[in-house]
mmCIF file of all heavy atoms in Angstrom:
data_model
loop_
_atom_site.group_PDB
_atom_site.id
_atom_site.type_symbol
_atom_site.label_atom_id
_atom_site.label_comp_id
_atom_site.label_asym_id
_atom_site.label_seq_id
_atom_site.Cartn_x
_atom_site.Cartn_y
_atom_site.Cartn_z
ATOM 1 N N VAL A 85 241.650 -12.845 268.916
ATOM 2 C CA VAL A 85 241.453 -14.272 268.683
ATOM 3 C C VAL A 85 241.231 -14.933 270.047
ATOM 4 O O VAL A 85 242.188 -15.272 270.741
ATOM 5 C CB VAL A 85 242.667 -14.904 267.955
ATOM 6 C CG1 VAL A 85 242.427 -16.372 267.685
ATOM 7 C CG2 VAL A 85 242.972 -14.158 266.670
ATOM 8 N N PRO A 91 244.207 -26.653 270.497
ATOM 9 C CA PRO A 91 245.576 -27.138 270.302
ATOM 10 C C PRO A 91 246.485 -25.987 269.857
ATOM 11 O O PRO A 91 246.068 -25.133 269.063
ATOM 12 C CB PRO A 91 245.430 -28.178 269.185
ATOM 13 C CG PRO A 91 243.981 -28.508 269.118
ATOM 14 C CD PRO A 91 243.252 -27.340 269.648
ATOM 15 N N PRO A 92 247.719 -25.952 270.351
ATOM 16 C CA PRO A 92 248.639 -24.858 269.997
ATOM 17 C C PRO A 92 248.832 -24.702 268.479
ATOM 18 O O PRO A 92 248.944 -23.587 267.980
ATOM 19 C CB PRO A 92 249.941 -25.244 270.677
ATOM 20 C CG PRO A 92 249.532 -26.112 271.807
ATOM 21 C CD PRO A 92 248.323 -26.840 271.340
ATOM 22 N N MET A 93 248.832 -25.801 267.755
ATOM 23 C CA MET A 93 249.030 -25.711 266.302
ATOM 24 C C MET A 93 247.860 -24.983 265.635
ATOM 25 O O MET A 93 248.058 -24.209 264.701
ATOM 26 C CB MET A 93 249.203 -27.122 265.714
ATOM 27 C CG MET A 93 249.711 -27.126 264.318
ATOM 28 S SD MET A 93 251.338 -26.372 264.306
ATOM 29 C CE MET A 93 251.609 -26.260 262.567
ATOM 30 N N MET A 94 246.647 -25.210 266.121
ATOM 31 C CA MET A 94 245.475 -24.530 265.563
ATOM 32 C C MET A 94 245.566 -23.025 265.820
ATOM 33 O O MET A 94 245.293 -22.218 264.930
ATOM 34 C CB MET A 94 244.189 -25.081 266.168
ATOM 35 C CG MET A 94 242.934 -24.407 265.633
ATOM 36 S SD MET A 94 241.431 -24.912 266.481
ATOM 37 C CE MET A 94 241.315 -26.614 265.994
ATOM 38 N N VAL A 95 245.990 -22.641 267.029
ATOM 39 C CA VAL A 95 246.128 -21.223 267.355
ATOM 40 C C VAL A 95 247.216 -20.607 266.483
ATOM 41 O O VAL A 95 247.044 -19.505 265.933
ATOM 42 C CB VAL A 95 246.456 -21.036 268.851
ATOM 43 C CG1 VAL A 95 246.725 -19.578 269.180
ATOM 44 C CG2 VAL A 95 245.320 -21.583 269.709
ATOM 45 N N TYR A 96 248.324 -21.310 266.308
ATOM 46 C CA TYR A 96 249.417 -20.822 265.465
ATOM 47 C C TYR A 96 248.938 -20.606 264.028
ATOM 48 O O TYR A 96 249.219 -19.564 263.423
ATOM 49 C CB TYR A 96 250.590 -21.811 265.503
ATOM 50 C CG TYR A 96 251.710 -21.450 264.567
ATOM 51 C CD1 TYR A 96 252.598 -20.426 264.881
ATOM 52 C CD2 TYR A 96 251.872 -22.119 263.361
ATOM 53 C CE1 TYR A 96 253.614 -20.080 264.011
ATOM 54 C CE2 TYR A 96 252.872 -21.786 262.480
ATOM 55 C CZ TYR A 96 253.747 -20.759 262.815
ATOM 56 O OH TYR A 96 254.753 -20.420 261.939
ATOM 57 N N GLU A 97 248.212 -21.556 263.475
ATOM 58 C CA GLU A 97 247.728 -21.431 262.099
ATOM 59 C C GLU A 97 246.718 -20.293 261.965
ATOM 60 O O GLU A 97 246.707 -19.570 260.963
ATOM 61 C CB GLU A 97 247.108 -22.746 261.632
ATOM 62 C CG GLU A 97 248.131 -23.841 261.418
ATOM 63 C CD GLU A 97 247.505 -25.198 261.140
ATOM 64 O OE1 GLU A 97 246.252 -25.297 261.165
ATOM 65 O OE2 GLU A 97 248.257 -26.145 260.923
ATOM 66 N N THR A 98 245.882 -20.116 262.976
ATOM 67 C CA THR A 98 244.923 -19.013 262.958
ATOM 68 C C THR A 98 245.635 -17.671 262.967
ATOM 69 O O THR A 98 245.327 -16.771 262.173
ATOM 70 C CB THR A 98 243.968 -19.114 264.159
ATOM 71 O OG1 THR A 98 243.290 -20.357 264.115
ATOM 72 C CG2 THR A 98 242.963 -17.977 264.164
ATOM 73 N N LEU A 99 246.610 -17.522 263.866
ATOM 74 C CA LEU A 99 247.360 -16.270 263.946
ATOM 75 C C LEU A 99 248.161 -16.019 262.675
ATOM 76 O O LEU A 99 248.253 -14.880 262.194
ATOM 77 C CB LEU A 99 248.269 -16.273 265.171
ATOM 78 C CG LEU A 99 247.550 -16.262 266.509
ATOM 79 C CD1 LEU A 99 248.537 -16.381 267.657
ATOM 80 C CD2 LEU A 99 246.700 -15.017 266.661
ATOM 81 N N LEU A 100 248.722 -17.055 262.100
ATOM 82 C CA LEU A 100 249.458 -16.919 260.841
ATOM 83 C C LEU A 100 248.516 -16.451 259.734
ATOM 84 O O LEU A 100 248.868 -15.583 258.922
ATOM 85 C CB LEU A 100 250.111 -18.254 260.480
ATOM 86 C CG LEU A 100 251.123 -18.237 259.342
ATOM 87 C CD1 LEU A 100 252.264 -17.287 259.669
ATOM 88 C CD2 LEU A 100 251.635 -19.628 259.081
ATOM 89 N N SER A 101 247.308 -16.982 259.706
ATOM 90 C CA SER A 101 246.314 -16.573 258.714
ATOM 91 C C SER A 101 245.941 -15.104 258.893
ATOM 92 O O SER A 101 245.795 -14.367 257.916
ATOM 93 C CB SER A 101 245.069 -17.450 258.833
ATOM 94 O OG SER A 101 244.037 -16.953 258.036
ATOM 95 N N VAL A 102 245.797 -14.673 260.140
ATOM 96 C CA VAL A 102 245.463 -13.272 260.408
ATOM 97 C C VAL A 102 246.613 -12.356 259.963
ATOM 98 O O VAL A 102 246.383 -11.312 259.344
ATOM 99 C CB VAL A 102 245.150 -13.061 261.905
ATOM 100 C CG1 VAL A 102 245.079 -11.597 262.264
ATOM 101 C CG2 VAL A 102 243.857 -13.764 262.280
ATOM 102 N N LEU A 103 247.834 -12.755 260.249
ATOM 103 C CA LEU A 103 248.988 -11.919 259.899
ATOM 104 C C LEU A 103 249.218 -11.823 258.405
ATOM 105 O O LEU A 103 249.796 -10.847 257.923
ATOM 106 C CB LEU A 103 250.237 -12.465 260.586
ATOM 107 C CG LEU A 103 250.265 -12.288 262.110
ATOM 108 C CD1 LEU A 103 251.464 -12.997 262.709
ATOM 109 C CD2 LEU A 103 250.283 -10.805 262.469
ATOM 110 N N THR A 104 248.758 -12.785 257.640
ATOM 111 C CA THR A 104 248.963 -12.754 256.191
ATOM 112 C C THR A 104 247.832 -12.036 255.456
ATOM 113 O O THR A 104 247.864 -11.956 254.230
ATOM 114 C CB THR A 104 249.134 -14.165 255.610
ATOM 115 O OG1 THR A 104 247.962 -14.945 255.922
ATOM 116 C CG2 THR A 104 250.363 -14.834 256.180
#
Side-chain angles (χ1 to χ4, degrees):
V85 182
M93 193 62 188
M94 180 187 293
V95 175
Y96 175 76
E97 290 172 357
T98 302
L99 293 175
L100 191 59
S101 171
V102 168
L103 290 174
T104 58

